[in-house]
Amino acid sequence: MPSHLSADRPAPHPPERDAVDALINRTRLLRGDVDAVRRDTAVIDDDDPQLRWQRALCELAVHQLDDLGEHLGQLRDGIPGDTSADGLTGVLSSQAPADPPTGSLLSRVGSAEWNLLTDEVSWSDELYQIFGRDPGKGALSLDELPTVLLSEDQPLLTAMVTDCLVDGRAIDGEFRILLPDGEMRTLHMMGEPVLDEDGCTASMWAVLRDVSKLRRSQHLVGRTRDTLRRQEHRAHTEHRMAVELQEAVLPSWRGALPVPGRTAGRLDIAAHYLPSASSDLIGGDWYDALPLPDGRTLLTVGDLTGHGIPATSAMAMLLGALRGMAVAGVEPGAVMGHLNQLIECSAQPALGSAVCCRFDPATGTLAWAQAGHPAPLLFRNGVGHPLPAPEGVLLGAASRVTYEQDQVELLPGDVLVLHTDGLTRRSERSAGPEVLLGLAPRFARARTAQDCVRAVVEEIGTTERLDDGCVLVARVKA
């Protein structure tokens, strides 16, 4: 076959062998590092789209580094045999091993030349393997070649060949073929016209490479990336909806509630919600203070397991039920029992903790019950302590349970702090209520409930928490 190289082109200068060897060694080391990362990601949970995308990128990088290493090996060794007579196609046919290793670069690269003057077609042995074609049937002519392509790719090949033969343009494009057994392969074709002495196109030479594995890896990377983007978009949307639902349910008040009764018995109340270290985790924490028709006041905080829309929607359901029972005059202990039954009957059962208090300004007494929740903290005369907790298990943990109820007398100037456990749970250790109890001197100097909340936020607000939390401060006005 005539060489595709024009006679007037300068002779190539082979690169320095040591330099190419150094590149090959660096490529092998990099390939080993990437393959180690790929093996690490292979044992991780397949349900995580981000990990699947990372693993697909590693596999794509390994394929490309394999090809780079083999290309550099050919560059170092040069074209074997005599290139002056038979050209590249003859070299690949006669000098390449009879059975290249499966998946090697040589088994995926073939060459061909179509002579326009004699209608002779020459294919390398590797090209027959790529097309899955029996050499005994002969090579495909340019007219026959489109018949093995997918119908949607045939116009592309026709355009590339026409541009090459008519306008002398180089070929550089990809198309897909169907093998006799139905397998589909993606080929990358690079070629150029071979001119005769008069400058006319005498033949067309091309090298075809099977890039099926590479394209599948790239497709997998794109698909996993799209899945990850969809998941991130869905998570962002759910987070926004959870925040909006939480903001719609939790009250935003601070200061004195319009509680009927004596002025001295009115409560100064403030509350605050603190997100977790990862603000994406919107949980089922709640706080509320509600003036009741009989002049008493409902104070409550609670926390449901889970995050996102399920947790916030369940929180909204429980808080609504709690408000309704409190307005109806149901005692705090009975309220806890009914909330426990409500969770049991809900479509998405969960676990939760809560504390429910009812303050009577006429007598100064606080009746309260809890369900697996941290006890309220009472601060008086610069000293704080948790209230002795009545019996009460987590909401949703057991059926037909009774929640005990206790009461305590509050005096003018007392500060009552209700909080969820996420407020004081630090990432490095469980802080417990000691952090809040340590604020007793500042609470004693505070003039309002909002000053107390501000002290809590300054002390804990910058601390990394594993969970979100909230605090409610009720100060008995003197």
Side-chain angles (χ1 to χ4, degrees), residues 116-171:
L116 303 182
L117 303 179
T118 64
D119 291 334
E120 179 185 0
V121 182
S122 299
W123 277 17
S124 67
D125 291 341
E126 293 76 21
L127 196 57
Y128 281 103
Q129 296 177 15
I130 291 173
F131 276 80
R133 186 173 178 82
D134 183 1
K137 296 181 179 179
L140 294 174
S141 66
L142 289 177
D143 292 333
E144 297 170 330
L145 187 59
T147 61
V148 298
L149 271 67
L150 269 66
S151 58
E152 55 264 36
D153 292 353
Q154 293 174 1
L156 173 64
L157 176 63
T158 301
M160 289 193 302
V161 172
T162 301
D163 290 343
C164 179
L165 299 181
V166 176
D167 300 329
R169 297 179 184 177
I171 291 177

Short mmCIF file of all heavy atoms in Angstrom, two decimals, residues 116-171:
data_model
loop_
_atom_site.label_atom_id
_atom_site.label_comp_id
_atom_site.label_asym_id
_atom_site.label_seq_id
_atom_site.Cartn_x
_atom_site.Cartn_y
_atom_site.Cartn_z
N LEU A 116 -8.80 5.10 -4.81
CA LEU A 116 -9.86 5.56 -5.69
C LEU A 116 -9.59 5.22 -7.16
O LEU A 116 -10.52 5.22 -7.97
CB LEU A 116 -10.02 7.08 -5.55
CG LEU A 116 -10.31 7.59 -4.13
CD1 LEU A 116 -10.49 9.10 -4.15
CD2 LEU A 116 -11.53 6.91 -3.55
N LEU A 117 -8.33 4.93 -7.49
CA LEU A 117 -7.99 4.64 -8.89
C LEU A 117 -8.22 3.18 -9.23
O LEU A 117 -8.68 2.85 -10.33
CB LEU A 117 -6.53 5.02 -9.15
CG LEU A 117 -6.16 6.49 -8.85
CD1 LEU A 117 -4.68 6.72 -9.13
CD2 LEU A 117 -7.02 7.43 -9.68
N THR A 118 -7.93 2.29 -8.28
CA THR A 118 -8.04 0.85 -8.56
C THR A 118 -9.19 0.19 -7.81
O THR A 118 -9.42 -1.01 -7.98
CB THR A 118 -6.73 0.14 -8.16
OG1 THR A 118 -6.55 0.26 -6.74
CG2 THR A 118 -5.54 0.76 -8.88
N ASP A 119 -9.89 0.97 -6.95
CA ASP A 119 -10.96 0.44 -6.10
C ASP A 119 -10.45 -0.61 -5.12
O ASP A 119 -11.24 -1.38 -4.54
CB ASP A 119 -12.11 -0.15 -6.93
CG ASP A 119 -12.88 0.93 -7.67
OD1 ASP A 119 -12.89 2.08 -7.18
OD2 ASP A 119 -13.45 0.63 -8.73
N GLU A 120 -9.15 -0.65 -4.92
CA GLU A 120 -8.59 -1.60 -3.96
C GLU A 120 -8.78 -1.07 -2.54
O GLU A 120 -8.63 0.12 -2.28
CB GLU A 120 -7.09 -1.80 -4.24
CG GLU A 120 -6.40 -2.76 -3.28
CD GLU A 120 -4.90 -2.84 -3.51
OE1 GLU A 120 -4.40 -2.13 -4.42
OE2 GLU A 120 -4.23 -3.57 -2.76
N VAL A 121 -9.11 -1.97 -1.63
CA VAL A 121 -9.30 -1.62 -0.22
C VAL A 121 -8.38 -2.50 0.62
O VAL A 121 -8.36 -3.72 0.45
CB VAL A 121 -10.75 -1.81 0.24
CG1 VAL A 121 -10.92 -1.38 1.69
CG2 VAL A 121 -11.70 -1.04 -0.66
N SER A 122 -7.63 -1.88 1.52
CA SER A 122 -6.71 -2.61 2.39
C SER A 122 -7.04 -2.31 3.84
O SER A 122 -7.11 -1.14 4.23
CB SER A 122 -5.26 -2.23 2.09
OG SER A 122 -4.91 -2.53 0.77
N TRP A 123 -7.28 -3.37 4.59
CA TRP A 123 -7.54 -3.24 6.04
C TRP A 123 -6.47 -3.99 6.81
O TRP A 123 -5.99 -5.04 6.37
CB TRP A 123 -8.90 -3.85 6.40
CG TRP A 123 -10.08 -2.95 6.19
CD1 TRP A 123 -10.14 -1.83 5.44
CD2 TRP A 123 -11.40 -3.15 6.74
NE1 TRP A 123 -11.38 -1.28 5.47
CE2 TRP A 123 -12.19 -2.08 6.28
CE3 TRP A 123 -11.98 -4.09 7.56
CZ2 TRP A 123 -13.53 -1.94 6.61
CZ3 TRP A 123 -13.31 -3.96 7.90
CH2 TRP A 123 -14.08 -2.89 7.43
N SER A 124 -6.09 -3.46 7.96
CA SER A 124 -5.21 -4.20 8.85
C SER A 124 -6.01 -5.30 9.55
O SER A 124 -7.25 -5.26 9.60
CB SER A 124 -4.59 -3.26 9.89
OG SER A 124 -5.59 -2.77 10.77
N ASP A 125 -5.28 -6.27 10.07
CA ASP A 125 -5.95 -7.37 10.78
C ASP A 125 -6.75 -6.85 11.98
O ASP A 125 -7.83 -7.36 12.29
CB ASP A 125 -4.92 -8.39 11.27
CG ASP A 125 -4.28 -9.14 10.11
OD1 ASP A 125 -4.87 -9.13 9.01
OD2 ASP A 125 -3.19 -9.72 10.31
N GLU A 126 -6.20 -5.82 12.66
CA GLU A 126 -6.89 -5.27 13.82
C GLU A 126 -8.24 -4.65 13.44
O GLU A 126 -9.19 -4.71 14.23
CB GLU A 126 -6.02 -4.23 14.52
CG GLU A 126 -4.76 -4.76 15.17
CD GLU A 126 -3.68 -5.09 14.14
OE1 GLU A 126 -3.76 -4.53 13.01
OE2 GLU A 126 -2.79 -5.89 14.46
N LEU A 127 -8.33 -4.08 12.24
CA LEU A 127 -9.56 -3.45 11.84
C LEU A 127 -10.65 -4.49 11.60
O LEU A 127 -11.83 -4.26 11.90
CB LEU A 127 -9.36 -2.60 10.58
CG LEU A 127 -10.47 -1.59 10.27
CD1 LEU A 127 -10.69 -0.66 11.44
CD2 LEU A 127 -10.16 -0.81 9.00
N TYR A 128 -10.26 -5.64 11.06
CA TYR A 128 -11.23 -6.73 10.93
C TYR A 128 -11.77 -7.14 12.31
O TYR A 128 -12.96 -7.41 12.49
CB TYR A 128 -10.58 -7.93 10.25
CG TYR A 128 -10.47 -7.81 8.74
CD1 TYR A 128 -9.25 -7.50 8.15
CD2 TYR A 128 -11.59 -8.00 7.93
CE1 TYR A 128 -9.15 -7.38 6.77
CE2 TYR A 128 -11.49 -7.88 6.55
CZ TYR A 128 -10.27 -7.57 5.97
OH TYR A 128 -10.17 -7.44 4.60
N GLN A 129 -10.86 -7.19 13.32
CA GLN A 129 -11.30 -7.54 14.67
C GLN A 129 -12.25 -6.49 15.23
O GLN A 129 -13.25 -6.82 15.88
CB GLN A 129 -10.08 -7.69 15.59
CG GLN A 129 -9.14 -8.81 15.20
CD GLN A 129 -7.91 -8.87 16.10
OE1 GLN A 129 -7.89 -8.27 17.16
NE2 GLN A 129 -6.89 -9.59 15.67
N ILE A 130 -11.94 -5.23 14.99
CA ILE A 130 -12.77 -4.16 15.51
C ILE A 130 -14.18 -4.25 14.93
O ILE A 130 -15.18 -4.08 15.63
CB ILE A 130 -12.14 -2.79 15.21
CG1 ILE A 130 -10.87 -2.61 16.04
CG2 ILE A 130 -13.12 -1.65 15.48
CD1 ILE A 130 -10.09 -1.37 15.69
N PHE A 131 -14.28 -4.53 13.61
CA PHE A 131 -15.58 -4.61 12.96
C PHE A 131 -16.24 -5.97 13.13
O PHE A 131 -17.38 -6.15 12.70
CB PHE A 131 -15.44 -4.30 11.47
CG PHE A 131 -15.45 -2.84 11.14
CD1 PHE A 131 -14.31 -2.07 11.31
CD2 PHE A 131 -16.59 -2.21 10.67
CE1 PHE A 131 -14.30 -0.71 11.02
CE2 PHE A 131 -16.59 -0.85 10.37
CZ PHE A 131 -15.44 -0.10 10.54
N GLY A 132 -15.53 -6.93 13.76
CA GLY A 132 -16.07 -8.28 13.91
C GLY A 132 -16.32 -8.94 12.56
O GLY A 132 -17.28 -9.70 12.41
N ARG A 133 -15.46 -8.66 11.61
CA ARG A 133 -15.67 -9.12 10.23
C ARG A 133 -14.66 -10.21 9.88
O ARG A 133 -13.46 -10.11 10.22
CB ARG A 133 -15.54 -7.94 9.27
CG ARG A 133 -15.88 -8.27 7.82
CD ARG A 133 -15.90 -7.01 6.98
NE ARG A 133 -16.17 -7.29 5.57
CZ ARG A 133 -17.36 -7.48 5.05
NH1 ARG A 133 -18.43 -7.41 5.84
NH2 ARG A 133 -17.54 -7.73 3.77
N ASP A 134 -15.11 -11.22 9.18
CA ASP A 134 -14.25 -12.30 8.72
C ASP A 134 -13.36 -11.78 7.60
O ASP A 134 -13.86 -11.27 6.58
CB ASP A 134 -15.11 -13.46 8.21
CG ASP A 134 -14.28 -14.67 7.79
OD1 ASP A 134 -13.04 -14.61 7.89
OD2 ASP A 134 -14.89 -15.67 7.34
N PRO A 135 -12.03 -11.88 7.74
CA PRO A 135 -11.14 -11.40 6.67
C PRO A 135 -11.42 -12.07 5.33
O PRO A 135 -11.14 -11.48 4.27
CB PRO A 135 -9.74 -11.75 7.19
CG PRO A 135 -9.90 -11.81 8.69
CD PRO A 135 -11.27 -12.35 8.92
N GLY A 136 -11.96 -13.27 5.35
CA GLY A 136 -12.26 -13.95 4.10
C GLY A 136 -13.32 -13.24 3.27
O GLY A 136 -13.40 -13.43 2.05
N LYS A 137 -14.15 -12.44 3.91
CA LYS A 137 -15.18 -11.70 3.19
C LYS A 137 -14.65 -10.41 2.57
O LYS A 137 -15.38 -9.74 1.83
CB LYS A 137 -16.34 -11.37 4.13
CG LYS A 137 -17.08 -12.60 4.65
CD LYS A 137 -18.24 -12.18 5.54
CE LYS A 137 -19.02 -13.39 6.04
NZ LYS A 137 -20.14 -13.00 6.92
N GLY A 138 -13.41 -10.07 2.89
CA GLY A 138 -12.82 -8.87 2.33
C GLY A 138 -13.22 -7.62 3.10
O GLY A 138 -14.14 -7.63 3.92
N ALA A 139 -12.51 -6.54 2.80
CA ALA A 139 -12.76 -5.27 3.47
C ALA A 139 -13.98 -4.57 2.87
O ALA A 139 -14.38 -4.85 1.73
CB ALA A 139 -11.53 -4.38 3.37
N LEU A 140 -14.54 -3.65 3.62
CA LEU A 140 -15.70 -2.89 3.16
C LEU A 140 -15.23 -1.69 2.34
O LEU A 140 -14.29 -0.97 2.73
CB LEU A 140 -16.52 -2.39 4.35
CG LEU A 140 -17.21 -3.46 5.21
CD1 LEU A 140 -17.86 -2.82 6.43
CD2 LEU A 140 -18.26 -4.21 4.39
N SER A 141 -15.87 -1.48 1.22
CA SER A 141 -15.57 -0.29 0.41
C SER A 141 -16.19 0.94 1.07
O SER A 141 -16.97 0.83 2.02
CB SER A 141 -16.11 -0.46 -1.00
OG SER A 141 -17.53 -0.50 -0.99
N LEU A 142 -15.88 2.11 0.53
CA LEU A 142 -16.47 3.33 1.08
C LEU A 142 -17.98 3.35 0.88
O LEU A 142 -18.70 3.97 1.66
CB LEU A 142 -15.83 4.56 0.43
CG LEU A 142 -14.37 4.85 0.85
CD1 LEU A 142 -13.83 6.04 0.08
CD2 LEU A 142 -14.28 5.10 2.34
N ASP A 143 -18.46 2.71 -0.18
CA ASP A 143 -19.91 2.64 -0.40
C ASP A 143 -20.57 1.66 0.57
O ASP A 143 -21.73 1.85 0.96
CB ASP A 143 -20.21 2.21 -1.84
CG ASP A 143 -19.80 3.27 -2.85
OD1 ASP A 143 -19.79 4.46 -2.46
OD2 ASP A 143 -19.48 2.92 -3.98
N GLU A 144 -19.84 0.60 0.95
CA GLU A 144 -20.40 -0.41 1.85
C GLU A 144 -20.26 -0.04 3.32
O GLU A 144 -21.03 -0.53 4.15
CB GLU A 144 -19.71 -1.76 1.61
CG GLU A 144 -19.92 -2.33 0.21
CD GLU A 144 -19.04 -3.53 -0.07
OE1 GLU A 144 -17.92 -3.59 0.51
OE2 GLU A 144 -19.45 -4.40 -0.85
N LEU A 145 -19.29 0.78 3.64
CA LEU A 145 -19.00 1.09 5.04
C LEU A 145 -20.22 1.64 5.79
O LEU A 145 -20.47 1.23 6.94
CB LEU A 145 -17.83 2.07 5.12
CG LEU A 145 -17.28 2.36 6.52
CD1 LEU A 145 -16.79 1.08 7.19
CD2 LEU A 145 -16.14 3.39 6.46
N PRO A 146 -21.03 2.54 5.22
CA PRO A 146 -22.17 3.06 5.99
C PRO A 146 -23.21 2.02 6.36
O PRO A 146 -24.01 2.25 7.27
CB PRO A 146 -22.78 4.11 5.04
CG PRO A 146 -21.65 4.52 4.14
CD PRO A 146 -20.86 3.26 3.94
N THR A 147 -23.20 0.85 5.70
CA THR A 147 -24.24 -0.14 5.97
C THR A 147 -24.11 -0.75 7.36
O THR A 147 -25.08 -1.32 7.88
CB THR A 147 -24.20 -1.26 4.93
OG1 THR A 147 -22.92 -1.92 4.98
CG2 THR A 147 -24.42 -0.69 3.52
N VAL A 148 -22.91 -0.67 7.98
CA VAL A 148 -22.73 -1.25 9.31
C VAL A 148 -22.89 -0.19 10.40
O VAL A 148 -22.78 -0.51 11.58
CB VAL A 148 -21.36 -1.94 9.43
CG1 VAL A 148 -21.25 -3.09 8.43
CG2 VAL A 148 -20.22 -0.95 9.25
N LEU A 149 -23.14 1.04 9.99
CA LEU A 149 -23.31 2.12 10.96
C LEU A 149 -24.75 2.21 11.41
O LEU A 149 -25.67 1.77 10.70
CB LEU A 149 -22.90 3.47 10.37
CG LEU A 149 -21.43 3.89 10.52
CD1 LEU A 149 -20.52 2.98 9.71
CD2 LEU A 149 -21.24 5.34 10.10
N LEU A 150 -24.96 2.78 12.61
CA LEU A 150 -26.31 3.12 13.01
C LEU A 150 -26.87 4.16 12.04
O LEU A 150 -26.14 5.02 11.55
CB LEU A 150 -26.32 3.70 14.43
CG LEU A 150 -26.50 2.68 15.57
CD1 LEU A 150 -25.31 1.73 15.65
CD2 LEU A 150 -26.70 3.39 16.91
N SER A 151 -28.13 4.06 11.74
CA SER A 151 -28.72 4.90 10.71
C SER A 151 -28.51 6.39 10.99
O SER A 151 -28.26 7.17 10.08
CB SER A 151 -30.21 4.60 10.57
OG SER A 151 -30.89 4.80 11.81
N GLU A 152 -28.58 6.78 12.26
CA GLU A 152 -28.42 8.21 12.56
C GLU A 152 -27.00 8.69 12.40
O GLU A 152 -26.75 9.90 12.33
CB GLU A 152 -28.92 8.51 13.99
CG GLU A 152 -28.27 7.68 15.07
CD GLU A 152 -29.11 6.47 15.44
OE1 GLU A 152 -29.74 5.90 14.54
OE2 GLU A 152 -29.13 6.12 16.63
N ASP A 153 -26.01 7.77 12.34
CA ASP A 153 -24.62 8.17 12.17
C ASP A 153 -24.16 8.13 10.72
O ASP A 153 -23.06 8.61 10.40
CB ASP A 153 -23.70 7.26 13.00
CG ASP A 153 -23.90 7.48 14.49
OD1 ASP A 153 -24.64 8.41 14.85
OD2 ASP A 153 -23.29 6.73 15.29
N GLN A 154 -24.97 7.54 9.83
CA GLN A 154 -24.55 7.41 8.44
C GLN A 154 -24.33 8.75 7.75
O GLN A 154 -23.34 8.92 7.02
CB GLN A 154 -25.58 6.56 7.67
CG GLN A 154 -25.61 5.11 8.12
CD GLN A 154 -26.73 4.31 7.46
OE1 GLN A 154 -27.49 4.84 6.64
NE2 GLN A 154 -26.83 3.03 7.81
N PRO A 155 -25.20 9.76 7.93
CA PRO A 155 -24.94 11.05 7.28
C PRO A 155 -23.62 11.68 7.72
O PRO A 155 -22.95 12.35 6.93
CB PRO A 155 -26.14 11.91 7.70
CG PRO A 155 -27.22 10.92 8.01
CD PRO A 155 -26.52 9.75 8.60
N LEU A 156 -23.22 11.49 8.97
CA LEU A 156 -21.97 12.05 9.47
C LEU A 156 -20.77 11.44 8.73
O LEU A 156 -19.87 12.16 8.29
CB LEU A 156 -21.85 11.80 10.97
CG LEU A 156 -20.50 12.18 11.60
CD1 LEU A 156 -20.26 13.67 11.49
CD2 LEU A 156 -20.46 11.74 13.07
N LEU A 157 -20.77 10.10 8.59
CA LEU A 157 -19.67 9.46 7.88
C LEU A 157 -19.64 9.89 6.42
O LEU A 157 -18.56 10.19 5.87
CB LEU A 157 -19.81 7.94 7.98
CG LEU A 157 -18.77 7.13 7.19
CD1 LEU A 157 -17.37 7.40 7.74
CD2 LEU A 157 -19.09 5.64 7.23
N THR A 158 -20.79 9.96 5.77
CA THR A 158 -20.84 10.39 4.38
C THR A 158 -20.27 11.80 4.22
O THR A 158 -19.51 12.08 3.28
CB THR A 158 -22.29 10.35 3.87
OG1 THR A 158 -22.80 9.02 3.99
CG2 THR A 158 -22.36 10.79 2.41
N ALA A 159 -20.61 12.69 5.13
CA ALA A 159 -20.11 14.06 5.05
C ALA A 159 -18.61 14.11 5.26
O ALA A 159 -17.90 14.84 4.55
CB ALA A 159 -20.82 14.93 6.09
N MET A 160 -18.09 13.31 6.19
CA MET A 160 -16.64 13.33 6.45
C MET A 160 -15.87 12.79 5.24
O MET A 160 -14.85 13.37 4.83
CB MET A 160 -16.32 12.48 7.69
CG MET A 160 -16.77 13.10 9.00
SD MET A 160 -16.05 12.29 10.47
CE MET A 160 -16.61 10.60 10.24
N VAL A 161 -16.35 11.71 4.66
CA VAL A 161 -15.67 11.13 3.50
C VAL A 161 -15.74 12.08 2.31
O VAL A 161 -14.75 12.28 1.58
CB VAL A 161 -16.29 9.76 3.16
CG1 VAL A 161 -15.73 9.24 1.83
CG2 VAL A 161 -16.02 8.76 4.28
N THR A 162 -16.88 12.70 2.09
CA THR A 162 -17.02 13.64 0.97
C THR A 162 -16.07 14.83 1.14
O THR A 162 -15.40 15.24 0.18
CB THR A 162 -18.47 14.14 0.88
OG1 THR A 162 -19.33 13.02 0.69
CG2 THR A 162 -18.64 15.11 -0.27
N ASP A 163 -16.01 15.38 2.33
CA ASP A 163 -15.11 16.51 2.58
C ASP A 163 -13.66 16.12 2.36
O ASP A 163 -12.85 16.92 1.86
CB ASP A 163 -15.29 17.02 4.01
CG ASP A 163 -16.63 17.71 4.22
OD1 ASP A 163 -17.26 18.09 3.21
OD2 ASP A 163 -17.04 17.87 5.39
N CYS A 164 -13.33 14.89 2.69
CA CYS A 164 -11.94 14.43 2.53
C CYS A 164 -11.60 14.24 1.05
O CYS A 164 -10.57 14.71 0.58
CB CYS A 164 -11.73 13.13 3.30
SG CYS A 164 -10.08 12.43 3.15
N LEU A 165 -12.47 13.57 0.30
CA LEU A 165 -12.17 13.25 -1.09
C LEU A 165 -12.32 14.45 -2.02
O LEU A 165 -11.56 14.60 -2.98
CB LEU A 165 -13.08 12.11 -1.56
CG LEU A 165 -12.93 10.78 -0.79
CD1 LEU A 165 -13.87 9.73 -1.38
CD2 LEU A 165 -11.49 10.28 -0.83
N VAL A 166 -13.31 15.30 -1.74
CA VAL A 166 -13.58 16.42 -2.64
C VAL A 166 -12.78 17.66 -2.27
O VAL A 166 -12.14 18.29 -3.11
CB VAL A 166 -15.09 16.74 -2.65
CG1 VAL A 166 -15.38 17.96 -3.52
CG2 VAL A 166 -15.88 15.53 -3.14
N ASP A 167 -12.79 18.00 -0.96
CA ASP A 167 -12.14 19.24 -0.53
C ASP A 167 -10.78 19.03 0.09
O ASP A 167 -10.10 19.99 0.46
CB ASP A 167 -13.04 19.96 0.48
CG ASP A 167 -14.40 20.33 -0.11
OD1 ASP A 167 -14.45 20.58 -1.33
OD2 ASP A 167 -15.39 20.35 0.65
N GLY A 168 -10.37 17.78 0.23
CA GLY A 168 -9.04 17.50 0.79
C GLY A 168 -8.95 17.75 2.29
O GLY A 168 -7.85 17.95 2.82
N ARG A 169 -10.07 17.73 2.99
CA ARG A 169 -10.05 17.97 4.42
C ARG A 169 -9.71 16.69 5.19
O ARG A 169 -10.05 15.59 4.76
CB ARG A 169 -11.41 18.48 4.91
CG ARG A 169 -11.82 19.82 4.30
CD ARG A 169 -13.18 20.22 4.83
NE ARG A 169 -13.66 21.46 4.22
CZ ARG A 169 -14.85 22.01 4.46
NH1 ARG A 169 -15.69 21.40 5.30
NH2 ARG A 169 -15.21 23.13 3.87
N ALA A 170 -9.03 16.88 6.31
CA ALA A 170 -8.71 15.73 7.15
C ALA A 170 -9.98 15.22 7.83
O ALA A 170 -10.92 15.97 8.08
CB ALA A 170 -7.68 16.13 8.20
N ILE A 171 -10.02 13.92 8.13
CA ILE A 171 -11.16 13.30 8.81
C ILE A 171 -10.86 13.20 10.29
O ILE A 171 -9.77 12.77 10.69
CB ILE A 171 -11.44 11.90 8.23
CG1 ILE A 171 -11.96 12.00 6.80
CG2 ILE A 171 -12.43 11.13 9.10
CD1 ILE A 171 -12.20 10.65 6.16
#
